[in-house]
Amino acid sequence: MQHEEQLIIIGNGFDLNNGLKSSFKDFFEWLNTDLDETAQRIWDANFWNAVFQVVKLSDPTWFDIEKQIGEVIKYLQQEFAREEYIKPTFKDDFGYVKSGFFRHVMEKSQKIYFSDEYDTNSTLNHSILHLIATNDNFTGNSGKLPTSVDEIMKSLFSQLTYLEKLLNVYLLQEIDKNLEYSKITQQKISTLSTLAVDKSDYRVKVLSFNYTPIEFVTDTSALPIIVKNVHGELTAASKGDSNIILGIDQSLLFNDGALQFSIIEFTKTYRTLFLQKHVTVTESSFINKNIKIVKFYGHSLGSADYSYFQSIFDELDIYNREVYLFFYYSNYDVVDRGPEQYERVYQLMSDYGRSMQNASQGKNLLHKMQLENRISIAPLR
């Protein structure tokens, strides 16, 4: 018997509201207070640490971090595509023009950083080259300055993976401190699965954008709950490197077919290829036409994951089929998150509408779903 299905999509807010200290604010506080001496020294010299210090992140979800990573990548795509980087030159102390890649980067960064227009309220873009030119991983004791854009991008990527390793360590520690976490997450998923449904035989699938594992005790009397961690899962400390992913959406690439330097590595789509090692052929894919209900909870709905939402909406054909969308949220930090959630949902649906081949349908997508009572935004009680 083919069961109708509901898809539950969860993000960082899910863990945050289950008692896990998983906001970036908690994480960065840990980075600045609990690292051992060696790890602290490496992190202090990390390019992304410097970026986050400049932008002074304010959003308590991981959306803010990946948004800033995306801003850096967008800027560097434009900057490093300039012809001046093909045969870079700089003026030495005597005013003579000489060739040299990194000296060119340093000279240009100084012109931007110390220009009359620059001030402490400038955008991140004014600081990116300066942060590269002064990064200890390039100018420290290694004695070898980068000679190409590729070398810079590979180093920035390596420094990002170090941040991921620290995040892996941090979340493992937080789960160890929260003995009830596993039980609470199961209860929360079970609660979400019963909301807004009038029958109990919907097969439940959970698409998690978190890194924490969710395991359910098998109950022969109930349909199984299937969980898929999109961006990797925490790796036990004894197993070494982390496989969790922080990155950007591939839609931020200007022209990935013509890129001459290592920037594709920053996309989630490229990196998740390395997680797909045990694919098997089953009756249906994880996302398929059996899904009638999609529930979102704890996800920022940000641009870093837009390609996933677009693919899901395309597959389910939400304009023409009777598919229901429910967006749930919880208030935290004594702040009403309702207005923020309404704005994010509106932005997501507007962005998706613009991607539809039929422009007129795209423009009235949200209006149509409202008229048909197929979209809802509500707090999770």
Side-chain angles (χ1 to χ4, degrees):
M1 178 181 177
Q2 197 78 21
H3 289 278
E4 290 183 324
E5 300 175 350
Q6 59 173 312
L7 176 67
I8 300 176
I9 298 175
I10 59 175
N12 171 256
F14 177 86
D15 281 347
L16 197 61
N17 288 288
N18 285 346
L20 201 66
K21 293 177 67 177
S22 61
S23 75
F24 81 78
K25 289 182 179 179
D26 298 316
F27 176 48
F28 280 120
E29 181 180 345
W30 176 83
L31 285 174
N32 293 320
T33 57
D34 291 354
L35 293 181
D36 61 46
E37 184 177 347
T38 300
Q40 190 67 61
R41 185 174 63 253
I42 297 173
W43 174 242
D44 286 344
N46 193 290
F47 169 81
W48 299 104
N49 182 22
V51 168
F52 301 148
Q53 297 292 344
V54 168
V55 297
K56 296 179 175 58
L57 301 174
S58 58
D59 193 315
T61 71
W62 289 98
F63 162 71
D64 212 7
I65 281 186
E66 294 186 317
K67 176 183 178 182
Q68 301 307 330
I69 294 172
E71 292 298 317
V72 171
I73 297 306
K74 282 195 295 183
Y75 174 84
L76 292 179
Q77 284 183 95
Q78 290 181 314
E79 178 63 27
F80 286 151
R82 299 177 188 274
E83 290 187 8
E84 65 191 86
Y85 291 96
I86 298 175
K87 292 183 178 180
T89 61
F90 68 96
K91 289 184 179 180
D92 65 13
D93 295 338
F94 300 99
Y96 293 105
V97 176
K98 294 186 176 181
S99 63
F101 173 74
F102 199 70
R103 285 293 299 271
H104 174 78
V105 172
M106 295 175 68
E107 188 174 81
K108 184 167 185 181
S109 74
Q110 290 175 349
K111 289 179 180 177
I112 297 173
Y113 194 73
F114 296 111
S115 67
D116 292 337
E117 292 79 17
Y118 184 86
D119 59 49
T120 54
N121 295 318
S122 294
T123 64
L124 172 62
N125 286 0
H126 289 98
S127 301
I128 292 174
L129 281 186
H130 176 73
L131 295 180
I132 290 175
T134 56
N135 184 255
D136 283 351
N137 289 278
F138 299 127
T139 61
N141 298 322
S142 63
K144 185 177 183 296
L145 298 178
T147 59
S148 68
V149 172
D150 265 342
E151 287 185 27
I152 286 182
M153 299 309 300
K154 286 183 180 299
S155 177
L156 298 188
F157 178 72
S158 176
Q159 294 180 62
L160 179 62
T161 60
Y162 185 72
L163 173 61
E164 293 168 347
K165 292 175 185 178
L166 293 177
L167 176 58
N168 191 94
V169 172
Y170 171 75
L171 290 176
L172 286 173
Q173 291 182 6
E174 285 302 307
I175 290 177
D176 287 343
K177 293 177 184 177
N178 192 335
L179 300 179
E180 294 294 308
Y181 174 75
S182 180
K183 179 181 178 181
I184 294 172
T185 56
Q186 292 182 43
Q187 291 175 341
K188 185 64 67 68
I189 292 295
S190 297
T191 298
L192 283 167
S193 69
T194 61
L195 295 176
V197 295
D198 56 3
K199 55 184 179 179
S200 60
D201 60 346
Y202 281 103
R203 189 185 303 275
V204 178
K205 292 178 176 178
V206 179
L207 194 64
S208 175
F209 285 81
N210 292 344
Y211 313 111
T212 48
I214 302 176
E215 298 178 356
F216 288 89
V217 178
T218 303
D219 184 348
T220 55
S221 65
L223 291 171
I225 296 178
I226 305 171
V227 180
K228 181 180 179 66
N229 285 71
V230 182
H231 295 142
E233 193 172 308
L234 296 181
T235 305
S238 59
K239 294 185 179 180
D241 289 346
S242 162
N243 72 353
I244 64 178
I245 295 171
L246 288 170
I248 66 172
D249 190 82
Q250 64 178 2
S251 63
L252 293 181
L253 298 183
F254 294 157
N255 187 349
D256 54 354
L259 292 175
Q260 300 300 312
F261 46 90
S262 303
I263 208 163
I264 298 176
E265 285 183 316
F266 288 89
T267 66
K268 293 179 174 180
T269 301
Y270 176 79
R271 295 187 65 197
T272 52
L273 285 174
F274 298 92
L275 302 179
Q276 307 281 21
K277 296 180 180 177
H278 303 290
V279 176
T280 57
V281 178
T282 58
E283 289 184 13
S284 61
S285 65
F286 195 84
I287 306 299
N288 59 70
K289 292 292 198 298
N290 295 323
I291 295 173
K292 185 176 181 180
I293 297 171
V294 183
K295 297 173 180 176
F296 296 80
Y297 178 67
H299 198 293
S300 64
L301 309 179
S303 59
D305 294 321
Y306 173 72
S307 289
Y308 291 99
F309 303 140
Q310 182 180 7
S311 297
I312 291 169
F313 291 167
D314 282 349
E315 173 62 24
L316 301 184
D317 190 10
I318 63 172
Y319 186 89
N320 295 302
R321 295 180 63 248
E322 189 181 352
V323 177
Y324 295 82
L325 304 182
F326 296 89
F327 297 88
Y328 295 105
Y329 65 92
S330 290
N331 298 320
Y332 49 88
D333 293 341
V334 200
V335 176
D336 179 10
R337 302 289 171 176
E340 179 181 278
Q341 184 74 347
Y342 277 86
E343 182 177 337
R344 289 177 173 178
V345 172
Y346 182 85
Q347 187 64 53
L348 171 64
M349 301 306 294
S350 297
D351 288 344
Y352 179 67
R354 285 192 291 272
S355 75
M356 293 174 61
Q357 291 186 344
N358 187 319
S360 60
Q361 288 185 352
K363 288 181 179 180
N364 73 5
L365 170 65
L366 184 56
H367 183 69
K368 180 177 189 290
M369 296 197 72
Q370 287 178 301
L371 286 177
E372 296 174 357
N373 292 321
R374 292 197 291 118
I375 188 168
S376 172
I377 304 172
L380 187 64
R381 305 296 184 185

